[in-house]
Amino acid sequence: MILVASYNMRKAIGTDRRRRPERTLDVLKEVGADVVALQEADRRFGARLSAIPPHLIEEHSDYKPVPFDARDGSLGWHGNALLVRKDVEIVDKELVHLPSLEPRGAVLADLRVDGEELRVVGMHLDLSGLWRRRQAHAILAHLANRSGNPPTVLMGDLNEWSVAGGCLRDFGVHHRFAPCGRSFHARRPIAQLDRIMVSEGLEIIESGAHQSATARKASDHLPIWARVKRT
C-alpha cells in the first residue's frame, strides 16, 4: 500500500502568523506519507524562494523534493511541489501549464514506490470557478495525451466550495475521490477545499484529514491523506 498526502502549507506561516518551516516538517512527519503534494511551498514575493530551506528537508525529514528546476531556489513551480520518501525512485517529471489570469501550474511525476509504478499530479487551482474548470480540463487533457498509463493520483487545493459541482464534476468522470473530509479552516474545518483523486487501478483503503494540535497551528489548511493500493 502507498500513503499519499496533500498539504497547502501556506508558505510555512501558521495561524499564529509566524513563519516556522520546522513546524511544517513536523506535520509532514506526523502524517508519514510516501508522497506529498505541497501547495504554497514558495514565498510569494522577491525571488520566491522555497518557504522550507532545502537543507532542512535534507537534514530533518525523510523526504527529497522532486527536482523540477523551474526557478532557482524554488521548491517547485508556482508554489506547487512534490516531496517523496528518500527511497522512492523518480522516473520522470514534468511541469503542466494551466490557463489562468495569474500564474498557475501543476506538477507531475512518474514514481516507483516500493516497486509499484505511480503517476502523481499536484495542483492549486484558481479562485474563479470558470478558470478552475478550464484548468481541470487542461490537466485531464495533458494526462490523456501523456505516454504510458500507470495508476494516477491527483491531489491539491482545488479551491472548490461546491460539494459535487464545478471542477469536481470534471475530475469525477474518470476519477474517484478519497473521502478525506473537511480541511479548511484548520482551526475549525468547514470546507473540503483539498482533494485526493485516484484513477482506475487504485483502491482507496482509508483516508482523512490530519487534525493534530501542530497541524491546526502550522497552516490555515489541514493536510489530507489517503492510503491506496493497486487493484
Side-chain angles (χ1 to χ4, degrees), residues 43-57:
R43 297 192 183 206
R44 183 174 182 181
F45 300 110
R48 298 189 179 182
L49 301 176
S50 171
I52 307 178
H55 73 89
L56 284 182
I57 299 173

Side-chain angles (χ1 to χ4, degrees), residues 38-210:
L38 295 175
Q39 302 87 50
E40 298 193 23
D42 296 329
R43 297 192 183 206
R44 183 174 182 181
F45 300 110
R48 298 189 179 182
L49 301 176
S50 171
I52 307 178
H55 73 89
L56 284 182
I57 299 173
E58 172 65 27
E59 298 168 8
H60 299 287
S61 82
D62 295 325
Y63 293 106
K64 61 184 178 183
V66 174
F68 292 103
D69 302 323
R71 183 193 297 267
D72 289 342
S74 169
L75 193 61
W77 192 49
H78 297 316
N80 293 288
L82 295 175
L83 298 182
V84 299
R85 237 181 34 220
K86 289 179 180 177
D87 60 350
V88 170
E89 180 184 353
I90 302 168
V91 178
D92 197 9
K93 77 268 189 189
E94 187 176 8
L95 304 176
V96 183
H97 294 267
L98 300 181
S100 62
L101 291 176
E102 60 180 72
R104 293 274 180 179
V107 289
L108 180 152
D110 287 339
L111 309 171
R112 190 166 287 111
V113 186
D114 295 332
E116 299 280 0
E117 291 185 358
L118 186 71
R119 178 166 291 167
V120 176
V121 179
M123 67 190 80
H124 189 181
L125 301 190
D126 206 278
L127 293 171
S128 160
L130 175 62
W131 285 105
R132 279 197 301 274
R133 296 202 67 184
R134 290 175 177 174
Q135 290 160 5
H137 292 165
I139 291 168
L140 293 170
H142 187 87
L143 288 172
N145 292 324
R146 185 171 171 84
S147 61
N149 189 35
T152 302
V153 175
L154 297 87
M155 49 186 173
D157 180 354
L158 304 193
N159 266 320
E160 181 61 72
W161 288 77
S162 168
V163 175
C167 68
L168 303 182
R169 185 181 301 113
D170 302 313
F171 282 121
V173 173
H174 297 295
H175 298 82
R176 286 171 290 111
F177 290 85
C180 297
R182 299 170 179 174
S183 57
F184 180 85
H185 187 279
R187 285 183 172 175
R188 181 177 291 182
I190 61 171
Q192 300 183 57
L193 302 186
D194 305 283
R195 300 278 184 162
I196 295 176
M197 305 162 276
V198 304
S199 71
E200 291 185 2
L202 287 174
E203 178 185 356
I204 300 166
I205 304 301
E206 57 180 338
S207 61
H210 182 70

Side-chain angles (χ1 to χ4, degrees), residues 10-21 23 185 187 216-220:
R10 199 194 184 195
K11 307 171 187 65
I13 299 174
T15 53
D16 56 3
R17 300 185 180 181
R18 295 181 179 180
R19 187 189 301 276
R20 294 183 56 190
R23 183 168 55 187
H185 187 279
R187 285 183 172 175
R216 287 193 291 271
K217 290 182 65 176
S219 170
D220 58 350

